[in-house]
Amino acid sequence: MTNPTENKIYLPSQEVIDQANIKEYEELYKFSIENREQFWANQADYLSWYKKWDKVLDDSNPPFYKWFPGAQTNIVHNAIDRHQHTEVRNKLALIWEGEPGDVRSFSYHALNREVCQFANILKSMGVKRADVVTIYMPQIPEQIFAMLACAKIGAIHSVVYGGFSHEALADRINDANSRVVITADGGYRRGKVVEMKSVVNKAMELSPTMEICITVKRTNVDVYMENGRDYWYHDLVALPIAASKCDTEVMEADDTLFLLYTSGSTGRPKAMIHTHAGYSVYTSTTHRMVFDIKPDDRYWCAADPGWITGHSYIVYGPLMNGATIIMYEGAPTYPYPDRWWKMVERYGINILYTSPTAIRGLMRFGDSWPNRNDLSSLRLLGSVGEPINPEAWRWYHEVIGNSKCPIMDTWWQTETGGFMITPLPVTPLKPGSGTKAFFGNEIAVVDDDGKEVGANEEGTLVIKSPWPGMTAGIFKDPERYLDIYWSKYKKQGWYLTGDSAKRDEDGYFWIIGRTDDVIKVSGYRLGSAEIESVMISHPAIAESAAVALPHPIKGNCIHIFAILRNGYEASLEMEHDLINHVVTHMGPIAKPEAITIVDQLPKTRSGKIMRRVLKARALGLPEGDLSTLEE
Ligand code: WT7
């Protein structure tokens, strides 16, 4: 990032400033730090509460902070119910486009009806408050209805991304003790049917707790349905039990809204907990301020609801703000590489939020695809998931945003619930930097002792103050939560992000990447340990190490170094077989780019694999400090 043209600062146009909801950052930031609780109370007042809080923040037992204790709410009360009594009722909540070209749209009134019906069905299946319901679906409207239906009746949803294998799904079902799973027969991707119910069937065989599966028909693909266990959604919704009115459960502030599994450094994926009150306030506020939401906006977050981005910024944040959301089922390049740009034109989309991987993937088809569509409705753009390289940033800005749309490069995590470092539309932008901390947050780049590093020096990114969107911890494992996030800077009481970063002379943050063994492939978060444990389950493998190598489109790709057991020999065929093994057992999103068979792996004297050395070797870079190496 030393190319001088990259130091160009992009100032907001007068038009952007004129219409911005928040015109000034520094002063409000200062206020939000000096009066954190007041700031958040002001934001909470944008929402409707069954009962207001006794206190904004209970910090008597850090890091288990409690936000808005004493309050009663339900995120659905704010995302759907309260809109039924205003002009938002007749506004479109969702415009959905299937990959084959079918379109469905729902007003807030219709959304309420769909969610009530789904909620009544779940109730009739015995789903109660605090039960965990697993959702494994393609990107169809029913995925959103299912999430909201769970929240409405006080159940906890656990959405598992559709790109995971049946084993990964079963692991998550079992860890959460989930009794009910909601799925679809399949979905469309690149003109083909991706089967889902058949994956769920295999997962159910591995899940002793699983009793009921509700399947939405999307593709007509043949599926096996078992009597007493499997129900078609369209059959259930035709029954009197699926009434179109359903009361929303009154939830306590810190009641769990959802679990979302995410990968860490070691061990199995962990279920991060998010709760009704704090998460509602944080996602609605960040969405309103950063995307500068206007009543007429059509807003498209082109992520999958299966990830935190989808939870916070497809579903909950936008619906609480009464926005019209766009959802698309399939591949961005189907049938042609201008599918997204056609959608922008067709629906008059004002705000587009996506990932650097998607931008790079579309950029490689050239400017003619976007240029043949009218993208002039776009006002704001967003990026998330990994650092965006300045080249992709400029293409996004110039070609997609016609050099007039500010890009909101939002840094955050599954654990943080919402944006932590992000520009506002009026923030002067530097391509590749998420700019500054969102209101209320004190964020720093520090060394191992917690001392702030100098300008442009690399260090560890930490969050020094609590925020309402923060996770309430890891499901069933508070110790692991303390250990992973709060032990390194225990004395200071800071949250460890797992990222390294720099801060420049203007105080802008530049995220470098993960410092742990988390691998970000196309913005998706995977753990080395998970991939390695799948490798080891192959009969030919004695030991392996998965590392992230740079990739021009995906940002990173997975490269595995493996040692074979005696009696097995390295061959191209063996490599393919191992790649398939990882895909079958973890899912297509974990497909390794390459597997290199080696005789030994570099380890420390205590036996820890030095993945950093493997990475350096693969890239032909200096191997760094090898004093602890014992090969
Ligand atoms: C990790 C969290 C937050 C939604 C999607 C990812 C990386 C995220 C950015 C960004 C640079 C980013 C970090 C972070 N990351 N956004 N704008 N610039 N890096 O959530 O799957 O929990 O992953 O994604 O490394 O720690 P996640």
Side-chain angles (χ1 to χ4, degrees), residues 19-21 176 180 197 245 267 403 429 476 510 522 541 556 597 609:
Q19 61 190 2
N21 292 340
V180 177
K197 170 62 175 152
K245 281 213 167 68
S403 302
L429 302 173
K476 294 190 303 194
W510 298 79
S522 303
I541 296 301
N556 293 293
I597 305 297
I609 296 172

Side-chain angles (χ1 to χ4, degrees), residues 193-438:
V193 171
V194 178
E195 289 189 30
M196 299 196 90
K197 170 62 175 152
S198 61
V199 178
V200 171
N201 282 348
K202 281 199 253 165
M204 286 175 95
E205 282 167 27
L206 304 174
S207 301
T209 56
M210 193 45 67
E211 289 169 18
I212 288 165
C213 175
I214 299 172
T215 305
V216 175
K217 189 170 239 150
R218 164 72 186 134
T219 63
N220 276 320
V221 70
D222 261 346
V223 293
Y224 169 72
M225 302 283 279
E226 195 173 285
N227 241 341
R229 182 193 80 176
D230 287 325
Y231 301 86
W232 284 109
Y233 183 71
H234 59 262
D235 287 338
L236 296 171
V237 86
L239 299 173
I241 49 158
S244 55
K245 281 213 167 68
C246 174
D247 286 340
T248 301
E249 281 285 307
V250 175
M251 307 304 286
E252 302 303 320
D254 62 348
D255 277 338
T256 301
L257 166 63
F258 64 81
L259 302 179
L260 190 57
Y261 283 85
T262 192
S263 302
S265 262
T266 54
R268 298 185 152 207
K270 46 194 189 258
M272 305 312 307
I273 302 169
H274 283 287
T275 58
H276 276 266
Y279 179 82
S280 294
V281 173
Y282 201 74
T283 54
S284 60
T285 305
T286 46
H287 181 259
R288 185 179 76 245
M289 291 184 168
V290 174
F291 286 128
D292 210 22
I293 287 297
K294 312 284 186 230
D296 295 336
D297 276 342
R298 292 190 160 185
Y299 161 87
W300 186 17
C301 168
D304 188 296
W307 304 99
I308 191 69
T309 311
H311 283 56
S312 302
Y313 299 110
I314 295 178
V315 183
Y316 290 116
L319 293 178
M320 279 186 283
N321 290 328
T324 297
I325 60 181
I326 312 289
M327 189 184 193
Y328 167 58
E329 176 185 33
T333 50
Y334 187 85
Y336 301 109
D338 66 345
R339 181 63 180 263
W340 278 18
W341 318 130
K342 283 216 148 34
M343 285 183 59
V344 169
E345 173 171 332
R346 190 174 306 138
Y347 302 114
I349 292 167
N350 308 102
I351 303 164
L352 173 65
Y353 184 35
T354 185
S355 66
T357 291
I359 298 161
R360 287 190 294 260
L362 291 166
M363 186 169 109
R364 82 192 142 134
F365 294 102
D367 300 1
S368 65
W369 292 101
N371 286 348
R372 72 181 66 165
N373 295 281
D374 178 3
L375 306 181
S376 61
S377 59
L378 289 172
R379 190 181 81 237
L380 276 176
L381 300 172
S383 172
V384 63
E386 56 189 312
I388 180 165
N389 47 313
E391 200 194 351
W393 194 100
R394 278 195 299 270
W395 186 80
Y396 196 27
H397 186 255
E398 285 158 23
V399 180
I400 305 308
N402 194 18
S403 302
K404 71 173 173 72
C405 306
I407 299 177
M408 303 297 102
D409 180 355
T410 60
W411 177 90
W412 58 297
Q413 308 178 303
T414 306
E415 295 85 339
T416 70
F419 309 151
M420 299 305 287
I421 298 174
T422 174
L424 298 171
V426 297
T427 307
L429 302 173
K430 302 185 189 184
S433 168
T435 75
K436 298 203 173 177
F438 187 73

Side-chain angles (χ1 to χ4, degrees), residues 396-518:
Y396 196 27
H397 186 255
E398 285 158 23
V399 180
I400 305 308
N402 194 18
S403 302
K404 71 173 173 72
C405 306
I407 299 177
M408 303 297 102
D409 180 355
T410 60
W411 177 90
W412 58 297
Q413 308 178 303
T414 306
E415 295 85 339
T416 70
F419 309 151
M420 299 305 287
I421 298 174
T422 174
L424 298 171
V426 297
T427 307
L429 302 173
K430 302 185 189 184
S433 168
T435 75
K436 298 203 173 177
F438 187 73
F439 301 118
N441 298 331
E442 289 170 87
I443 302 183
V445 180
V446 300
D447 65 16
D448 284 345
D449 301 321
K451 211 174 122 274
E452 223 158 303
V453 302
N456 299 309
E457 278 176 41
E458 183 171 345
T460 303
L461 188 71
V462 295
I463 305 170
K464 295 180 165 183
S465 52
W467 66 103
M470 67 197 304
T471 176
I474 299 175
F475 186 57
K476 294 190 303 194
D477 207 346
E479 283 306 315
R480 195 168 165 213
Y481 177 58
L482 291 176
D483 183 48
I484 296 174
Y485 302 96
W486 301 93
S487 64
K488 172 139 190 199
Y489 296 102
K490 187 169 182 208
K491 209 173 66 210
Q492 298 91 339
W494 297 342
Y495 169 89
L496 181 73
T497 62
D499 280 5
S500 64
K502 290 180 187 175
R503 231 178 150 172
D504 68 17
E505 50 291 333
D506 297 325
Y508 277 38
F509 290 97
W510 298 79
I511 306 297
I512 296 165
R514 301 289 308 191
T515 54
D516 52 13
D517 295 322
V518 166

Side-chain angles (χ1 to χ4, degrees), residues 132-138 143 157-184 195-210 212-215 260-261 268-269 306 530 534 583-589:
V132 180
V133 175
T134 302
I135 299 175
Y136 182 77
M137 291 181 99
Q143 182 175 32
H157 59 70
S158 165
V159 182
V160 178
Y161 174 63
F164 279 119
S165 69
H166 75 277
E167 286 174 30
L169 174 60
D171 277 349
R172 287 158 178 78
I173 289 172
N174 294 339
D175 183 74
N177 261 313
S178 185
R179 248 184 80 235
V180 177
V181 60
I182 302 168
T183 188
E195 289 189 30
M196 299 196 90
K197 170 62 175 152
S198 61
V199 178
V200 171
N201 282 348
K202 281 199 253 165
M204 286 175 95
E205 282 167 27
L206 304 174
S207 301
T209 56
M210 193 45 67
I212 288 165
C213 175
I214 299 172
T215 305
L260 190 57
Y261 283 85
R268 298 185 152 207
E530 291 159 71
V534 166
V583 172
T584 315
H585 293 270
M586 254 188 99
I589 62 162

